[in-house]
Amino acid sequence: MTERIINHPVLGALTQKEKVTFTYDDHLFEGYKGESLAAALLAQGIRTLRLHEETGQPRGIYCNIGHCFECRVNVNGLEGGRACLTPLSDGMAVKSGQTLPTTVRDWRKNDEQ
């Protein structure tokens, strides 16, 4: 499934760029070289990029300009990359952020005992 704008009502027909492949949580996808990772994932219908570290609530793209850190993902083994600021390149391996095995509240609770 792809949800891309091909012909914009104001900008007109958008030029095609070089297609590249990347993986997200071990699934193969296509995107355009140099577009943001966030845009490539949104075009594939992916809205949840990570889970909140404590609560497990889904998180996705919020500000899309690098301020909020909601779109943090693991890019080529590096944790905490912001999908909205990361340009897509061929062969990129991306993993979503998951809930931590033990929450911060559990650590505090254990410290109080």
Side-chain angles (χ1 to χ4, degrees), residues 33-91:
K33 183 177 181 177
E35 76 177 330
S36 74
L37 179 55
L41 292 169
L42 282 171
Q44 298 300 324
I46 297 169
R47 302 290 184 259
T48 299
L49 302 184
R50 69 182 187 91
L51 301 176
H52 188 274
E53 294 84 349
E54 287 186 52
T55 65
Q57 294 292 314
R59 295 290 190 253
I61 297 166
Y62 182 68
C63 74
N64 207 28
I65 57 173
H67 285 266
C68 73
F69 292 87
E70 289 297 322
C71 64
R72 288 174 287 152
V73 291
N74 179 310
V75 179
N76 295 331
L78 299 173
E79 194 64 49
R82 288 176 279 179
C84 67
L85 297 178
T86 304
L88 187 63
S89 62
D90 195 40

Side-chain angles (χ1 to χ4, degrees), residues 20-37:
V20 295
T21 58
F22 68 101
T23 60
Y24 180 73
D25 286 343
D26 300 320
H27 297 282
L28 187 64
F29 294 103
E30 269 189 350
Y32 294 113
K33 183 177 181 177
E35 76 177 330
S36 74
L37 179 55

